[in-house]
Amino acid sequence: MPTFRRPAFSPGSAFAAWFAVLLALVTSALAPARVEADGLRILAATNDIGALARAVGGDAIDVDVVARPDRDPHALEIRPSTMRRATKADLYLAAGLSLDLWSDDIVRGSRNRELVVVVCGELIDPLEIPDGPIDASMGDVHPEGNPHWWLDPIRAVTVARSLAVEFAAADPAGAETYAANADHFASEVVQRMSAWTGALRGRIFVEQHASWIYLAERFDMVIAGKVEPLPGIPPTARHLAELAEVIQDHEVSVVIRDRYHVESGARFLRRKTGVRIEVLPASCDAPTPEAYFSHFDRIVEVLGAP
Amino acid sequence: MTTWILEPWTYPFMRWALVCCLVLAGIHAYLGFHIVRRGVLFVDLAMAQMAALGAAVGVVAGLEHDTAAGYAVSASFALAASALFAVVRSTRIPTEAFIAIVYAVASAATFIVLEKSPHGMDEVRHLFVGQVLTVAPSKIGLTAALYSLIGLALWRLHPRILAVTEGRATGGRMAVDFIFYATFALVVTSSVGLVGVLLVFSLLVLPAVGALLVSSSDGARLGWGWGFAGIASLVGLHAAFHLDLPAAPVIVVTLGLAVAGATLLHRWWCAGRSR
């Protein structure tokens, strides 16, 4: 057995080493990393925004998305790949209207000084802006308005057109392509509008969370009630009993909830009234225009006329 | 291989995350040593919960995000808890019980304050529970300055704090205790805001326990504590980057493995020497 000598270990030298490492790191961390890219690199907060970015940018751009659609965007653990992309991205497309508080952290933490931030929620007229001062008794109210604007395809077109302008500013050579792509997206939406309107107009449903006002307003639908009495607040027994009455009185046939919502409230309503429960995510599955449109196909399937 | 090793560190956010961990490690290894010796392991969770309650009160009272006023409210709640821990000491009831009470009552009070405002809950979480990958360099700078001052104070007071920790203090125990818990409250409040509760708790307890297991002199223990925290932060961040996982949990697991591994090696080495 070889004899080991105990290493001489003085706290002074340990501190000196620790401090030296720290100093070296701070010095190197001050220099930002830049990577040259050929096409625009876009980082979008959600799939829906990613879909609009892809529709406008076409195949020439690189689109990545921060939030996974099966998780609640209110609470997000930031992963290294997200930060990597933010470091190298040209544009960050935030959702805004307080949906993605973490977007600020990502942008700031990326140390990417050339990153252009576009807050999509600021490009449209929001619905449900609360009148007067907001206080805690109103629940999870977003002070700037309801943040689920992408469920209105016409507002999505507005955002797509603005994105074309933003993309053109970042990449003037592609300006015409971006504008043409935005026009193409607009015409695809217009083409589908009559079918969607035909299927959805006048339909009545109950939602779990206040996500669907933009859809309802665009297609003249009626939201008979919400499982959550106030946004983000779990239902009380009394609220559910009242909602069950509303469902019976108005012959509501479906309650929709997102994948990450708790189902117990909706199950109570089904027991009471026989109403259908459907999982209908507020976001599309992938950051592509095809996924954006097939999300609406699914919406029509669930909420549309039988 | 070289790319695999160096690539994570080409990103500023990774380097800042490591700087942040090392700044925290510097003071937490020392405080953790006292916390472990005193057997008050969960005092930081209680303090953090008090600070969160303070943040909640600030949000409901309409204080602007991320301002000095918000921080002051949050810190004053944590300081109130430290005064309590300094004053309340019973021979019949272990201090852990008081810590548990503060934790439970502060959590319940936070729920009541935010009862009708889960958005407020989001805000408090966002304000109060930081993520190490997005921490702002300016905040790291401020925190480093604060911790240097606190570190200096602790260094001057070390013999007296140690006397209380080892239970051989005579006079002025309460004052020393208050200063100790107050510095602790300030440190925990700032650290949790930077990197979150889980990582703060682990940086306090794991390096200290590892150091106590492998070393017997005070000075060397501090060195070992820094060593564990520094290596685990480096390896943990590196692993989190390549596995694409949230950083804090990976650092904590790495820290656990480092301490367990060092302890086993140390046992094996001691057994070899005594043979």
Side-chain angles (χ1 to χ4, degrees):
Chain A
M1 195 78 202
T3 54
F4 291 94
R5 275 198 28 215
R6 234 173 219 285
F9 214 101
S10 87
S13 63
F15 182 77
W18 173 75
F19 193 73
V21 171
L22 207 58
L23 207 65
L25 271 167
V26 169
T27 325
S28 73
L30 286 170
R34 281 301 305 171
V35 178
E36 294 308 315
D38 6 326
L40 279 181
R41 288 164 185 258
I42 312 290
L43 186 58
T46 65
N47 269 344
D48 310 280
I49 297 170
L52 299 181
R54 176 63 76 199
V56 171
D59 295 331
I61 63 163
D62 201 49
V63 179
D64 277 307
V65 172
V66 177
R68 296 186 233 178
D70 55 344
R71 308 285 174 88
D72 192 339
H74 289 100
L76 181 100
E77 277 284 339
I78 293 166
R79 285 172 302 143
S81 58
T82 298
M83 296 306 297
R84 274 165 90 164
R85 286 164 189 153
T87 307
K88 295 177 173 178
D90 298 298
L91 278 94
Y92 186 91
L93 310 180
L97 309 179
S98 301
L99 184 76
D100 50 345
L101 290 172
W102 34 265
S103 278
D104 296 342
D105 296 336
I106 293 171
V107 169
R108 196 189 52 208
S110 72
R111 312 295 301 149
N112 181 347
R113 290 191 191 107
E114 283 145 69
L115 187 62
V116 176
V117 180
V118 180
V119 182
C120 298
E122 290 173 0
L123 304 172
I124 50 106
D125 298 326
L127 295 174
E128 295 184 333
I129 300 176
D131 307 324
I134 298 185
D135 65 59
S137 68
M138 297 157 83
D140 181 12
V141 163
H142 291 258
E144 305 94 333
N146 189 308
H148 305 85
W149 51 265
W150 60 88
L151 290 168
D152 170 10
I154 301 301
R155 279 185 173 82
V157 167
T158 307
V159 170
R161 289 197 191 281
S162 303
L163 289 184
V165 176
E166 297 286 350
F167 288 9
D171 171 26
E176 276 175 37
T177 318
Y178 301 139
N181 287 347
D183 285 340
H184 178 70
F185 178 73
S187 68
E188 283 205 80
V189 166
V190 169
Q191 219 175 31
R192 290 170 164 86
M193 279 303 281
S194 59
W196 288 338
T197 311
L200 295 175
R201 173 172 295 176
R203 304 293 299 166
I204 179 167
F205 63 99
V206 165
E207 62 182 352
Q208 171 108 12
H209 179 78
S211 311
W212 295 91
I213 180 67
Y214 288 96
L215 183 88
E217 161 139 330
R218 178 59 60 197
F219 296 106
D220 292 325
M221 302 169 78
V222 180
I223 300 175
K226 301 172 181 20
V227 177
E228 296 175 354
L230 295 165
I233 307 277
T236 58
R238 183 167 158 198
H239 173 77
L240 285 177
E242 283 168 3
L243 191 55
E245 267 178 46
V246 170
I247 288 173
Q248 272 161 343
D249 291 351
H250 293 80
E251 293 175 8
V252 177
S253 62
V254 62
V255 175
I256 54 174
R257 69 174 183 92
D258 218 319
R259 279 176 280 230
Y260 47 80
H261 287 142
V262 182
E263 206 196 24
S264 55
R267 270 209 304 269
F268 172 87
L269 295 173
R270 182 173 59 193
R271 260 201 322 278
K272 272 281 206 213
T273 65
V275 73
R276 244 174 342 126
I277 305 174
E278 293 272 6
V279 173
L280 188 57
S283 272
C284 60
D285 288 337
T288 62
E290 294 77 31
Y292 183 81
F293 289 126
S294 63
H295 183 215
F296 273 87
D297 293 342
R298 171 79 184 137
I299 290 170
V300 165
E301 199 181 301
V302 171
L303 297 177
Chain B
M1 184 67 188
T2 321
T3 341
W4 186 83
I5 292 171
L6 291 179
E7 196 208 347
W9 310 106
T10 59
Y11 291 90
F13 78 91
M14 288 292 287
R15 297 195 291 253
W16 282 115
L18 185 58
V19 169
C20 183
C21 287
L22 293 182
V23 165
L24 261 54
I27 199 149
H28 287 233
Y30 176 80
L31 289 172
F33 170 73
H34 288 285
I35 294 305
V36 171
R37 291 285 298 273
R38 287 167 179 232
V40 289
L41 291 173
F42 294 105
V43 71
D44 60 316
L45 295 187
M47 295 268 192
Q49 196 56 52
M50 280 297 275
L53 174 59
V57 169
V59 164
V60 170
L63 290 180
E64 284 292 314
H65 296 194
D66 253 341
T67 55
Y71 180 78
V73 173
S74 188
S76 58
F77 272 72
L79 284 176
S82 39
L84 187 79
F85 291 136
V87 172
V88 181
R89 202 179 241 207
S90 160
T91 45
R92 283 174 298 134
I93 303 164
T95 313
E96 282 281 77
F98 295 114
I99 290 167
I101 290 168
V102 169
Y103 177 76
V105 173
S107 306
T110 311
F111 273 113
I112 293 172
V113 170
L114 297 173
E115 207 268 326
K116 286 281 167 60
S117 174
H119 193 53
M121 195 75 93
D122 279 345
E123 263 175 50
V124 168
R125 200 185 302 134
H126 182 249
L127 272 181
F128 191 71
V129 178
Q131 299 205 28
V132 67
L133 290 181
T134 59
V135 62
S138 59
K139 278 198 184 166
I140 300 178
L142 280 176
T143 311
L146 176 70
Y147 289 4
S148 310
L149 289 176
I150 291 177
L152 203 65
L154 288 172
W155 181 55
R156 296 301 298 269
L157 285 167
H158 174 71
R160 304 182 67 179
I161 297 174
L162 189 68
V164 174
T165 295
E166 292 181 340
R168 51 182 172 73
T170 46
R173 181 203 61 78
M174 204 182 277
V176 172
D177 253 3
F178 176 69
I179 292 173
F180 173 71
Y181 282 123
T183 53
F184 188 78
L186 289 177
V187 168
V188 167
T189 313
S190 325
S191 299
V192 171
L194 285 180
V195 302
V197 171
L198 178 65
L199 191 51
V200 169
F201 178 73
S202 308
L203 281 175
L204 271 173
V205 176
L206 280 154
V209 168
L212 283 166
L213 282 168
V214 300
S215 172
S216 51
S217 91
D218 275 2
R221 276 175 186 159
L222 201 50
W224 276 106
W226 285 336
F228 281 125
I231 289 170
S233 305
L234 187 75
V235 175
L237 279 169
H238 195 269
F241 182 89
H242 284 298
L243 300 173
D244 196 23
L245 292 168
V250 181
I251 296 174
V252 172
V253 170
T254 316
L255 207 46
L257 292 176
V259 170
T263 310
L264 285 176
L265 273 177
H266 184 255
R267 286 277 152 81
W268 171 75
W269 175 27
C270 288
R273 289 201 332 158
S274 62
R275 213 177 289 150

